[in-house]
Amino acid sequence: MKRNLFKAYDIRSKRDNFDDETTLALCHAIAYYMIHDVKTYSIVVGRDTRVGTEAIMQKALEVFQASGMTVYVQLNAIGSCQFYYNCMQRPKSGGLMITASHNPGSYLGMKLVAPEVQSIAKNCGPKGGLQTVQKYYDEELLCNTRKGGTIVPLNTLDAFIDYSMKLARVPAKSLKGLPVVCDFLHGSNGEAISRALNHCGVDGTYLHLVPDGAFPCGDPNPGSEGSTAEVRQYLLDHPTDMCFVYDGDGDRMDLLYRGRQLSPCFVMGLITDELTEMFHGYFEKPEESFNPMFLFDIKASPALLLSQIHQGKKVSLVQNGHSYIKDALLNNKGNHFLAAVEESAHYYLQFPQSIGDWMSPLFASENTLFFTLLVLKAYQKDPRRFDEARILQDSTWRQREWSAMIKEEGKRNTLQKAIEDRIMAMGAIKVTTNKLGENLNATLLRYNLPKSYDDGATLRTPWFQVFQRVSQSEDALVRWEVLASDEKIGQKVLEEMAKAMKMIE
């Protein structure tokens, strides 16, 4: 039995750890959890293009069917967003997506969802979520054999594309002639995105479109400079305003606007008006009185947040982690929580099962095809707003997120405390909760910034913000990011952080 497979949000490890014995034990643990704790006898199964996903899928089908479950399965490789769509259309079923997302090609993994597309993670999901699955795995429980199990092959690509185009209100040929570059990094969502964009009439250039689980470009991570070197060079040689880069399973969407990243939070800021107008009916509110809540990554630029507030939007910070964010949306439909974004290029929304049916159930989920289309429609309508967003983004200084592996817990704690002490000595205030009183599961060290992002808040210079947290998905990894009003004060912050880091070397 292999250990250290269970992370905060999923099951993930090096491919070598998914041997036949381990895979069989995992599938039994999942089947037992779905039947006995989730109380469902049906499950949706999908996989991405990674080497080894086929063997895991085959074993899962055998175990689930033998356990008496109805298994809805897309046999070919698909993106996670199409998998979530398949779950939305079968809301009484659980779900298993075999993927390791943006991790190196040497990794394999599993994402789980409960009925209603509810995330399953540690301490998230029915009866303890992933911790309960891990308990069954450790105990080597075997699910009883039952009659009645069946396998139902699916082919939902056309339906997924049609749903996404209709929801985004982007009809066929409506983006005719618009130049668009996409880099799929050999991941599994290229077919869905490229087919949809062709339907919409774009003048598309599709790099690394063919799925390849070896990921020859490097880690399938749109945030990796090495993996995106080719597309950046292509944009230098063939300047194009709109370029999207996706990760291995297609649930991350990074926008390179005129060759440089436009931060995901700024991208969300460009479409909040459209989302508000589109979704008022699903919340049974007149358009003129519907003012939903948008959740932004705790690393979001204060300049962006204040610009949204000054436009009349309601915003709040949210802690990182797809399961937590989806749960926050799920549990706050009555409070009109509509959408969320992470700086890792994950976008979330209350997706309706049926478009145009105001009584349709809503599911907190992800769909990068929908967001790609919506962003392109916004650009086609008014490209100047993208220039304005870039100017606002460039008006501040940013040291993008970096990390360090510190295996000793005591050493990690000492370093974080030393950084806090030095930055607070500069006048910063420590923030660990949002304005709703919810734990951010991270520390923000903020100087000369408003206490909360509400009406009347203003941005005074100079200011800075330091983000610090221990990763929930990578063992012993500490992450940092710095935002500042200008490079001078930003470099001063980095100098103080470097002094703290030298203390523990």
Side-chain angles (χ1 to χ4, degrees), residues 202-502:
V202 307
D203 179 9
T205 299
Y206 307 127
L207 305 181
H208 310 119
L209 174 61
V210 178
D212 186 340
F215 300 117
C217 294
D219 299 350
N221 183 351
S224 167
E225 291 189 9
S227 300
T228 58
E230 287 187 38
V231 69
R232 292 178 187 276
Q233 184 59 52
Y234 179 89
L235 294 172
L236 287 174
D237 298 336
H238 308 85
T240 309
D241 283 2
M242 303 297 285
C243 173
F244 298 90
V245 187
Y246 306 88
D247 70 338
D249 67 329
D251 61 358
R252 296 188 182 208
M253 177 198 82
D254 219 357
L255 173 62
L256 302 181
Y257 179 63
R258 297 191 173 178
R260 291 193 294 125
Q261 188 208 39
L262 190 60
S263 160
C265 287
F266 281 89
V267 175
M268 177 62 82
L270 288 165
I271 56 176
T272 51
D273 282 339
E274 183 79 6
L275 289 171
T276 300
E277 189 275 326
M278 291 168 62
F279 275 82
H280 68 92
Y282 294 106
F283 288 83
E284 301 180 27
K285 297 286 289 184
E287 182 181 345
E288 60 274 11
S289 63
F290 183 52
N291 191 14
M293 178 70 76
F294 292 91
L295 303 179
F296 284 85
D297 192 307
I298 54 179
K299 300 187 293 293
S301 166
L304 178 276
L305 294 172
L306 287 172
S307 75
Q308 288 290 298
I309 290 168
H310 296 157
Q311 294 171 38
K313 300 296 185 298
K314 292 170 63 177
V315 304
S316 181
L317 299 179
V318 66
Q319 76 172 57
N320 294 137
H322 70 87
S323 58
Y324 180 86
I325 293 173
K326 290 175 182 177
D327 256 19
L329 292 174
L330 175 69
N331 295 328
N332 285 283
K333 292 178 184 176
N335 295 323
H336 301 162
F337 281 32
L338 177 57
V341 61
E342 287 185 284
E343 282 297 279
S344 58
H346 283 280
Y347 295 80
Y348 307 89
L349 183 68
Q350 303 274 20
F351 285 98
Q353 183 184 48
S354 301
I355 300 169
D357 178 2
W358 299 141
M359 303 305 295
S360 172
L362 299 174
F363 302 107
S365 190
E366 300 173 74
N367 184 338
T368 50
L369 172 53
F370 165 80
F371 279 106
T372 298
L373 295 170
L374 196 62
V375 170
L376 288 174
K377 184 170 75 168
Y379 172 78
Q380 182 189 55
K381 181 179 179 180
D382 190 357
R384 292 174 301 175
R385 295 182 62 231
F386 285 72
D387 292 327
E388 292 167 358
R390 166 55 49 75
I391 291 169
L392 183 60
Q393 177 175 290
D394 290 349
S395 70
T396 62
W397 181 88
R398 177 188 184 193
Q399 179 66 50
R400 289 192 66 175
E401 185 177 280
W402 77 99
S403 60
M405 183 74 70
I406 306 174
K407 295 185 178 180
E408 298 177 26
E409 183 178 0
K411 200 172 182 179
R412 285 199 306 273
N413 294 338
T414 299
L415 173 58
Q416 292 180 88
K417 180 63 165 57
I419 289 175
E420 285 183 14
D421 289 344
R422 285 191 169 273
I423 301 304
M424 291 176 71
M426 298 176 67
I429 296 173
K430 181 178 176 179
V431 177
T432 58
T433 60
N434 64 12
K435 67 180 182 181
L436 303 175
E438 299 167 335
N439 192 340
L440 295 175
N441 203 27
T443 297
L444 289 179
L445 302 169
R446 307 171 74 236
Y447 172 74
N448 212 19
L449 288 168
K451 292 183 179 180
S452 63
Y453 294 109
D454 294 309
D455 292 342
T458 58
L459 196 61
R460 298 175 297 169
T461 57
W463 60 264
F464 66 75
Q465 174 177 285
V466 177
F467 160 85
Q468 176 174 258
R469 78 172 179 127
V470 177
S471 173
Q472 299 298 300
S473 57
E474 303 290 342
D475 295 331
L477 200 68
V478 187
R479 301 182 186 275
W480 299 276
E481 181 163 306
V482 177
L483 282 166
S485 55
D486 59 78
E487 183 175 1
K488 182 179 179 180
I489 193 170
Q491 290 293 346
K492 178 61 177 176
V493 170
L494 291 180
E495 289 172 10
E496 293 300 313
M497 294 176 70
K499 291 175 184 177
M501 292 176 182
K502 286 183 179 179

Side-chain angles (χ1 to χ4, degrees), residues 82-98:
Q82 187 177 342
F83 162 75
Y84 292 135
Y85 168 80
N86 291 346
C87 294
M88 283 171 47
Q89 301 307 314
R90 296 155 188 84
K92 295 182 179 180
S93 301
L96 166 65
M97 180 65 183
I98 305 163

Side-chain angles (χ1 to χ4, degrees), residues 65-283:
Q65 183 178 21
S67 301
M69 301 184 79
T70 298
V71 187
Y72 300 101
V73 58
Q74 188 92 21
L75 294 168
N76 58 299
I78 60 173
S80 285
C81 298
Q82 187 177 342
F83 162 75
Y84 292 135
Y85 168 80
N86 291 346
C87 294
M88 283 171 47
Q89 301 307 314
R90 296 155 188 84
K92 295 182 179 180
S93 301
L96 166 65
M97 180 65 183
I98 305 163
T99 175
S101 188
H102 63 289
N103 285 271
S106 58
Y107 278 72
L108 283 171
M110 299 173 168
K111 294 179 183 178
L112 300 174
V113 298
E116 310 292 330
V117 205
Q118 181 186 6
S119 293
I120 294 175
K122 286 192 174 180
N123 296 315
C124 178
K127 301 294 182 66
L130 205 55
Q131 284 179 308
T132 302
V133 179
Q134 182 174 4
K135 175 177 177 288
Y136 296 155
Y137 169 79
D138 290 338
E139 293 174 355
E140 301 184 42
L141 287 180
L142 297 178
C143 205
N144 292 332
T145 299
R146 297 179 178 83
K147 295 181 179 180
T150 185
I151 294 175
V152 182
L154 302 176
N155 183 5
T156 62
L157 180 60
D158 289 341
F160 172 61
I161 292 173
D162 183 65
Y163 170 91
S164 303
M165 290 176 60
K166 286 182 178 177
L167 185 63
R169 300 177 182 174
V170 179
K173 305 303 180 183
S174 62
L175 301 176
K176 187 174 182 179
L178 182 64
V180 179
V181 175
C182 295
D183 189 349
F184 300 104
L185 299 177
H186 294 291
S188 53
N189 75 324
E191 183 177 6
I193 301 285
S194 59
R195 281 185 56 181
L197 292 182
N198 284 352
H199 286 330
C200 296
V202 307
D203 179 9
T205 299
Y206 307 127
L207 305 181
H208 310 119
L209 174 61
V210 178
D212 186 340
F215 300 117
C217 294
D219 299 350
N221 183 351
S224 167
E225 291 189 9
S227 300
T228 58
E230 287 187 38
V231 69
R232 292 178 187 276
Q233 184 59 52
Y234 179 89
L235 294 172
L236 287 174
D237 298 336
H238 308 85
T240 309
D241 283 2
M242 303 297 285
C243 173
F244 298 90
V245 187
Y246 306 88
D247 70 338
D249 67 329
D251 61 358
R252 296 188 182 208
M253 177 198 82
D254 219 357
L255 173 62
L256 302 181
Y257 179 63
R258 297 191 173 178
R260 291 193 294 125
Q261 188 208 39
L262 190 60
S263 160
C265 287
F266 281 89
V267 175
M268 177 62 82
L270 288 165
I271 56 176
T272 51
D273 282 339
E274 183 79 6
L275 289 171
T276 300
E277 189 275 326
M278 291 168 62
F279 275 82
H280 68 92
Y282 294 106
F283 288 83

